Amino acid sequence: MACMYPATSTEPEVLYPYMTNELEKLFETETNWISNAANAAATLGFLMPQLNWAGFYLYNGEELVLGPFWGKPAVTRIPLGKGVCGDSALARKTTVVYDVHQYPGHIACDLFSNSEIVIPLVKDDHLIGVLDIDSPEIGRFSEQDQMGLEAIAKLLIERIDFPIFK
Ligand code: SME
C-alpha cells in the first residue's frame, strides 16, 4: 500500500477530487467494512484542513452507535432525534452547523469543536448511519464542502459494505 500524502492544495476543487481518488485506491484492495470505514475516517481527518474529528455513527436498528473514527474518544450512543447526528439521521438530511454552541441539543464530545457537518448514510431507503465531521473553526463548512462531502458519502455507501438493519 502506497503512503498517503497531503493534497497539493486544500482548495475544494483540488481537495475533493484528490480525496475521492485516495479513497477509491483504498477500497480497491480491501473489502472489510471496518477497515474501509476506519481508513475513510482517517483519510478525511488527515487530508481536510481544520478538523478535529471525523467518523461514523452506525444505526443498529434502535439508535446510533459509534463506529470507526479519527479524533478524540467520543460519546458511544446517540438516540435518533438527539444531537446533530440524531437529528440528521432522523430527518435523513445533511445538517451544517455554523456554531455548535448555538445548536439546541448539540452533544459536545470534544470541547475544541466549534462547527460541524453531519451527512446521513442511506442505502436503498435503509438508514446505515451518519458521517460526522467536526472543526475547531466556527463556520468551517461551506456549501462547497457540503456538496463535496455528500458526494464522498455517496461513494462510501456504494463502496463500503456497511451492516444494514432492515
Ligand atoms: N456533536 C455530535 C456528537 C458526536 S461528536 O461530535 C463526535 C452531536 O451533537 O450529535
Side-chain angles (χ1 to χ4, degrees):
M1 185 191 147
C3 289
M4 187 176 286
Y5 297 101
T8 51
S9 160
T10 53
E11 289 301 315
E13 42 296 345
V14 174
L15 185 62
Y16 284 100
Y18 184 75
M19 291 201 295
T20 302
N21 191 48
E22 291 300 300
L23 290 167
E24 293 273 17
K25 283 196 289 184
L26 287 167
F27 301 154
E28 265 167 29
T29 52
E30 182 54 66
T31 55
N32 181 275
W33 81 266
I34 297 178
S35 306
N36 282 341
N39 269 338
T43 299
L44 297 176
F46 173 60
L47 293 177
M48 290 183 72
Q50 291 285 6
L51 294 198
N52 58 321
W53 205 90
F56 299 92
Y57 280 92
L58 298 162
Y59 184 56
N60 69 358
E62 189 188 333
E63 60 190 346
L64 297 172
V65 183
L66 181 64
F69 68 94
W70 171 93
K72 287 185 187 164
V75 63
T76 56
R77 287 173 189 259
I78 302 178
L80 294 186
K82 297 278 179 203
V84 189
C85 291
D87 285 349
S88 207
L90 189 62
R92 298 188 176 197
K93 272 187 69 178
T94 298
T95 308
V96 181
V97 184
Y98 182 84
D99 177 354
V100 297
H101 309 287
Q102 306 299 322
Y103 188 96
H106 169 257
I107 301 164
C109 291
D110 182 338
L111 292 177
F112 285 103
S113 294
N114 279 316
S115 62
E116 181 164 3
I117 182 167
V118 178
I119 298 134
L121 305 173
V122 177
K123 188 170 194 174
D124 302 332
D125 212 32
H126 298 294
L127 180 66
I128 294 170
V130 299
L131 172 63
D132 180 20
I133 304 181
D134 288 19
S135 170
E137 190 178 293
I138 287 185
R140 162 68 182 79
F141 302 103
S142 64
E143 255 179 60
Q144 260 180 312
D145 287 306
Q146 178 175 347
M147 278 166 46
L149 289 168
E150 284 177 344
I152 283 189
K154 197 163 168 272
L155 169 75
L156 302 181
I157 293 163
E158 281 164 12
R159 299 297 301 273
I160 299 181
D161 196 13
F162 286 108
I164 301 178
F165 287 85
K166 297 178 179 169

